[in-house]
Every structure is written in structure tokens, then in C-alpha cells.
Amino acid sequence: MIIVYISIAIVVLSLVYLGYIVVKNLKETKKSVTDLSETAARFQEKVDKINNETTQLSETTSTISNGIQTKKETVQNVIKTAKASPEPFKKLLSSIKNTPNPQRETSDSQLTEIGDKLIDLWGRYRVKRKSNQAE
């Protein structure tokens, strides 16, 4: 009969021990799940921050691209205007050359020479400006 009581006591103690282990494992599992949830929340926060920075970078890139395009068009218009500018000067000098004035013949040749020098200087300026822009 004592063996039956001892067996019952062993079974009861085993069940108590099993209950203790189950409660202990539940507490550890709950702590692990909480830690995992916190880690996932921090990870999601970082992903959101990266997405915001990516959006901001895209907007900045678009703004810079638009600015570059505007400046490019401005420079192209300036170059186009500069290229067209010598023609009116040449026409003016040509008309001055072809205008007969016997009293100012020396002055006409001087004006022609000055005009040629101005055209030459203008050409040098354009070359120098292009080389500065290329740098």
C-alpha cells in the first residue's frame, strides 16, 4: 500500500513539476515574443524613415534636374544670341565701308580698321568664354 502512495506522490510531484516548467516556459516565450515585437517595430520605423528619405531624395533630384535644364536652356539661348551678334556688327561695318564720303575717307578706313579689331576681339572673347565654360 505504501508503494501505491509513493507512486501517487511521484505522479503528483511530476504533474506539479510539469506545471512549473510550463509556466516558466510561457513566461520566457512571452518575453521573447515581446522582444520580437519591439524589434519588428524598430525595424518598421527604420524602413519608414528610409522610405521618407528616398522620397525626399527623389524630389531633390527632380528639382536639381529641372534647375539644370533651365540653366542649360538659358546658356543655349545666350550662345545663340552671341553667335547671332557679330552679323549685325558686320552689316553695320559693311554699310559704313560702302558709304561714300570723300571728306572722311581717312576716317572711314580708320572706322573699318576699328570695326575689324572689334570683330576680332569679339571672336577672341567667345573662344575664351567657351574655354572657361568647358573647364
Side-chain angles (χ1 to χ4, degrees), residues 1-9:
M1 186 94 155
I2 291 186
I3 294 181
V4 172
Y5 289 125
I6 292 175
S7 296
I8 292 174

Side-chain angles (χ1 to χ4, degrees), residues 8 32 45 56 58 60 74 106 109 111 113 116 135:
I8 292 174
S32 296
E45 190 177 302
Q56 187 178 11
S58 295
T60 303
T74 302
T106 345
S109 64
L111 285 175
E113 187 178 315
D116 290 341
E135 293 174 0

Side-chain angles (χ1 to χ4, degrees), residues 24 33 39 46 49 55 69 86-87 93-94 97-98 127:
K24 182 179 174 184
V33 168
T39 302
K46 288 181 181 183
K49 186 176 179 181
T55 303
Q69 184 63 30
E87 291 303 318
L93 291 175
S94 174
K97 276 186 196 178
N98 295 333
V127 169

